[in-house]
Amino acid sequence: MPETIVLVDGAKRLCETLASVGELGVITNGIDAVQRRRIEKSGLGEWFSFVATSEKCGFAKPDARFFEFAAGSFSSFRKSEAIIFGDRIDADIAGAIQFGIDSCWFNPRGLAGEELLIPTFEVSHLDEIDGCLCDRP
């Protein structure tokens, strides 16, 4: 599993762009060693200042305690400036809502969302994310 890497088109460009704007971290439900290896193999690791895994935390997304754990990994963290980009509405977006931060749902398949889980932004292509950042106060 750690050797299985499939990058979404535009992932490297997006990481480079976002890292020029703020600090990036990876928050993931998964086994720490597997996730770290996947990030290393992806070639994206240079843009992330940390990797927070549910294994290390003891709680998984969408639990707010996992988001609190991840927030402590940033060199500086303010909820008003944070945004999570995620592809799982039930984990990433639900967790962001519970923790009180903005969210961007990466939804390339155009799936229907859940009535009570409304992301701040929704995109179907990574190149749309720049626009989300420009639309933030």
Side-chain angles (χ1 to χ4, degrees):
M1 185 165 170
E3 304 302 320
T4 305
I5 308 300
V6 178
L7 288 181
V8 175
D9 287 340
K12 286 186 179 187
R13 184 199 62 77
L14 178 62
C15 287
E16 184 174 20
T17 299
L18 293 177
S20 72
V21 176
E23 186 177 4
L24 300 183
V26 174
I27 63 172
T28 180
N29 288 342
I31 300 167
D32 194 70
V34 171
Q35 299 303 332
R36 288 178 185 282
R37 181 72 177 141
R38 292 180 83 193
I39 292 164
E40 178 186 326
K41 296 285 287 181
S42 75
L44 301 178
E46 68 183 279
W47 291 292
F48 301 117
S49 61
F50 70 89
V51 177
T53 62
S54 57
E55 179 187 45
K56 286 282 188 187
C57 173
F59 301 99
K61 295 182 288 181
D63 193 306
R65 292 171 289 189
F66 179 74
F67 282 76
E68 191 66 44
F69 170 80
S73 299
F74 284 96
S75 60
S76 174
F77 183 86
R78 289 186 198 96
K79 284 186 178 185
S80 62
E81 296 176 356
I83 185 168
I84 182 173
F85 299 95
D87 62 350
R88 293 201 40 213
I89 200 160
D90 62 328
D92 303 315
I93 306 310
I97 291 167
Q98 289 176 33
F99 190 58
I101 61 173
D102 283 347
S103 62
C104 181
W105 183 26
F106 177 57
N107 183 12
R109 295 186 200 120
L111 301 173
E114 296 184 29
E115 188 175 314
L116 298 177
L117 299 176
I118 301 171
T120 312
F121 305 100
E122 180 177 340
V123 299
S124 58
H125 297 92
L126 293 184
D127 59 6
E128 297 173 276
I129 290 176
D130 291 350
C132 295
L133 295 177
C134 292
D135 291 343
R136 292 181 78 209

